[in-house]
Amino acid sequence: MTTSTLGTPGQDAEAGTRELPARLGDFTTDRRVILLMAIAVFVGTAGVGAAFVLLRLITLCTNIAYYGRFSLENLSISGTPLGWTAVFVPVIGCLIIGLMARFGSEKIRGHGIPEAMEAILIGKSRINPKVAVLKPLSSAISIGSGGPFGAEGPIIMTGGAIGSLVAQMIHLSANERKALLVAGAAAGMTAVFGTPIAAVLLAIELLLFEWKPRSFLPVVVAASVAAAERGLLLDPTPLFGFTGQMALTFPGFLGWVLMGIVAGLGSGILTAMVYASEDFFHRLPLHWMWWPLFGGLAIGIGGLFDPSALGVGYDNIRHLLSGEMAVKAVILLLVVKSLIWSISLGSGTSGGVLAPLMMLGGALGTLAGLVLPQADPGFWALLGMAAMMGGTMRAPLTATLFAVELTGNLGVLLPLLTACGMAYATTVLTMKRSILTEKIARRGHHISGEYHTDPFDLARVADLMVREVDTLPAAMTVARAVAFFTSGEPCHKSYPVVDAERRVVGMVSRAHILDWSMHASEDDDIQSLSLQEILEGQDLEIGFADELAGALADRMAIADIGRVPVLDRQSGSLVGLIARKDLLQVRAHRRAEEHDRGVMIRLRARGARGI
């Protein structure tokens, strides 16, 4: 109950008592989640279709750009007959992307996940229909013309756009639209990689910014549907099958820890390279539409040194996991890929970051494996892949399960968790923001990646209210009330007005006094009225001592009032008063829990009495 009519507080209190058990519980989710889950079935199916189209578009663009064929045959960029003139292919592709961004939508620039996060947090989960069309198309052109990106970022953005567009056609709240946007993103990621669990974890760690059944269940439905339907259009087997293992030994465990730290440091270097590149382009006296052209030139030159660094590069990941790649080739791949990826991404081209991070992490892990304890071929590459992804994106659980699902190898779960956890710890302690949030921060928005229980949902009104309340009697006349407020004595901004049984009949504020004073000369009868008579029919916001502080704070914010009388739910009598400053105690208590440090148990010195 949010409002009560004066004169019936006991009835309102009784109604509130009846409603209390139904309102309080572990979760606030209602039956509307069933509607969201039903819609998520369609969103999941649409995500699979979008992923299929995107992957085919990438293949088509590759064949047109490097072979001049209108074909869907899987051809490698390194086999192109163009020779050195292939340098200009990514230049042309990136120039097209710049034009699409300039005259289509600027939201297609970048790797997609920050844009999805921004839409969720700032744009009320609304994505423009143009983005749903232009993002996959621009990414296909970018990757197909040699861009060193993955398909996952664009499909996450595209799947999210589908979920958002569907939600915008129905009467849904912003938070409900968010659930469907993220459901579409998870479905798209599942369709590309076949990793439904990792997709759900990605939603939790990066996109939902909450942990509620209302948002979690639609994401699970969409990811599950996408996983079930993926085999109809795409290969249902693990994308990078791997069976390697490593025995659990103390030296091996230390190696996992060290691998995570190295990958975390590598994450910091890659993030710095990307934004150093972006800063460089910002200093150029050119419109940003032309920046991708220079990024494409860097891609083309890099391709002369190592053609395998171009494109999605899934074959490189397979070679790293099989241990077939020579050390010299691994070093070349690490250097060239990191340079062209950071330069082109900083220039504003379109493409994902997961596949490049895995490739770079795999190369780093392969090199680190030369000095780390002996393991099966490709083991250290796998740990490097996952740790690099987990550290760079600040999503260790996603990276751990992502690697497990990609390889179909549950036996490496503990090493992966250890390495990803250490990479995460390294980046959290050494970097203020991740590669995802830094872009949003540069647009003027701060994002916190920490989840915690709202302290207002733990505190009761009784814990915060003032129990000794100054009140005015209901029988007081208007004239006496005006005199009281204008006497010059210190007084509050407003007072509860109570009858003989301490039942609240209204609130009198300074605004009331001013209004009555202005009309006193026009209507002398108003001076003789009692406060109960003049306040009759007034709507009054009330609180109950046993309700949660968060619920009352929400009502106070909506009504824009600063002081609320608190009633006993059974009798309806006044038991306290709560003001905005009292609600701030909740924040002060949370801050004290974070910063106040003390010893709770003190050990007596040896030899002391009683020991």
Side-chain angles (χ1 to χ4, degrees), residues 302-551:
L304 292 179
F305 291 93
D306 187 6
S308 66
L310 304 184
V312 175
Y314 289 165
D315 288 340
N316 289 328
I317 296 177
R318 294 188 179 94
H319 293 323
L320 290 168
L321 290 176
S322 65
E324 299 172 354
M325 191 173 289
V327 173
K328 183 177 179 181
V330 172
I331 296 174
L332 185 63
L333 176 65
L334 179 62
V335 173
V336 173
K337 187 78 173 182
S338 59
L339 286 174
I340 64 175
W341 177 71
S342 58
I343 294 173
S344 56
L345 192 61
S347 71
T349 49
S350 181
V353 299
L354 294 190
L357 288 175
M358 290 181 63
M359 198 181 310
L360 294 171
L364 189 62
T366 299
L367 297 177
L370 298 176
V371 297
L372 293 175
Q374 185 66 34
D376 287 346
F379 175 84
W380 292 113
L382 177 62
L383 254 63
M385 291 178 188
M388 182 71 80
M389 173 184 165
T392 306
M393 301 185 69
R394 304 279 179 85
L397 296 179
T398 298
T400 299
L401 270 297
F402 188 63
V404 169
E405 290 185 290
L406 277 179
T407 59
N409 188 348
L410 191 60
V412 293
L413 181 59
L414 179 59
L416 287 169
L417 181 62
T418 303
C420 291
M422 293 308 300
Y424 177 68
T426 302
T427 58
V428 165
L429 294 174
T430 58
M431 299 167 54
K432 284 187 176 181
R433 297 184 178 92
S434 72
I435 196 171
L436 307 179
T437 57
E438 176 66 26
K439 181 175 286 293
I440 300 174
R442 290 180 173 219
R443 295 170 181 165
H445 306 291
H446 169 71
I447 292 179
S448 175
E450 298 178 342
Y451 290 2
H452 56 79
T453 303
D454 186 348
F456 283 97
D457 289 337
L458 297 177
R460 298 277 182 170
V461 171
D463 301 327
L464 305 174
M465 68 183 186
V466 176
R467 296 180 182 274
E468 299 295 330
V469 184
D470 294 329
T471 62
L472 298 179
M476 176 183 280
T477 63
V478 170
R480 288 177 57 197
V482 171
F484 171 77
F485 271 89
T486 58
S487 64
E489 296 292 331
C491 62
H492 302 299
K493 293 181 179 179
S494 61
Y495 288 83
V497 178
V498 298
D499 60 17
E501 299 177 354
R502 288 191 64 80
R503 297 165 67 91
V504 179
V505 300
M507 288 284 290
V508 171
S509 67
R510 294 176 183 175
H512 288 109
I513 299 300
L514 178 62
D515 182 60
W516 295 338
S517 300
M518 292 175 61
H519 292 85
S521 59
E522 301 174 3
D523 186 1
D524 293 334
D525 292 339
I526 195 175
Q527 296 282 344
S528 60
L529 292 176
S530 69
L531 293 181
Q532 183 167 6
E533 291 173 330
I534 198 169
L535 293 174
E536 184 177 1
Q538 180 193 46
D539 287 336
L540 176 66
E541 194 71 47
I542 60 174
F544 294 106
D546 60 352
E547 73 173 314
L548 296 177

Side-chain angles (χ1 to χ4, degrees), residues 71-357:
S71 166
L72 294 178
E73 182 182 357
N74 287 317
L75 300 174
S76 173
I77 293 178
S78 59
T80 177
L82 295 178
W84 69 270
T85 59
V87 169
F88 300 104
V89 172
V91 174
I92 297 172
C94 290
L95 178 58
I96 293 174
I97 294 167
L99 294 171
M100 291 175 65
R102 176 67 176 84
F103 299 104
S105 173
E106 189 179 350
K107 296 294 184 181
I108 69 173
R109 304 174 69 216
H111 46 94
I113 299 180
E115 287 71 27
M117 297 169 71
E118 192 173 28
I120 291 167
L121 290 174
I122 301 156
K124 296 183 178 180
S125 299
R126 293 177 296 191
I127 296 180
N128 194 302
K130 289 194 296 184
V131 176
V133 176
L134 294 179
K135 185 62 179 181
L137 182 58
S138 65
S139 299
I141 295 173
S142 173
I143 300 171
S145 61
F149 307 111
E152 68 292 325
I155 194 56
I156 286 174
M157 185 65 173
T158 304
I162 292 173
S164 175
L165 292 176
V166 172
Q168 291 178 60
M169 299 176 186
I170 307 171
H171 291 288
L172 298 177
S173 68
N175 282 332
E176 290 171 332
R177 285 196 300 272
K178 174 180 68 175
L180 292 178
L181 186 157
V182 178
M189 179 176 172
T190 299
V192 172
F193 291 110
T195 56
I197 300 176
V200 172
L201 287 175
L202 180 79
I204 294 171
E205 291 191 295
L206 295 180
L207 298 177
L208 286 177
F209 298 98
E210 66 179 16
W211 176 243
K212 293 183 177 181
R214 177 203 58 209
S215 52
F216 173 72
L217 292 174
V219 172
V220 170
V221 169
S224 300
V225 168
E229 297 178 350
R230 179 174 182 263
L232 301 176
L233 299 175
L234 302 166
D235 186 1
T237 60
L239 196 59
F240 306 115
F242 177 75
T243 58
Q245 297 285 336
M246 182 179 182
L248 176 56
T249 63
F250 185 70
F253 175 77
L254 293 180
W256 306 343
V257 171
L258 183 59
M259 185 69 255
I261 296 173
V262 170
L265 295 174
S267 298
I269 294 173
L270 287 175
T271 302
M273 290 173 63
V274 169
Y275 288 103
S277 171
E278 184 174 293
D279 291 339
F280 169 77
F281 283 108
H282 274 287
R283 288 193 292 268
L284 292 179
L286 294 171
H287 191 279
W288 57 258
M289 177 183 70
W290 304 106
W291 298 353
L293 186 149
F294 296 98
L297 182 61
I299 295 171
I301 295 174
L304 292 179
F305 291 93
D306 187 6
S308 66
L310 304 184
V312 175
Y314 289 165
D315 288 340
N316 289 328
I317 296 177
R318 294 188 179 94
H319 293 323
L320 290 168
L321 290 176
S322 65
E324 299 172 354
M325 191 173 289
V327 173
K328 183 177 179 181
V330 172
I331 296 174
L332 185 63
L333 176 65
L334 179 62
V335 173
V336 173
K337 187 78 173 182
S338 59
L339 286 174
I340 64 175
W341 177 71
S342 58
I343 294 173
S344 56
L345 192 61
S347 71
T349 49
S350 181
V353 299
L354 294 190
L357 288 175

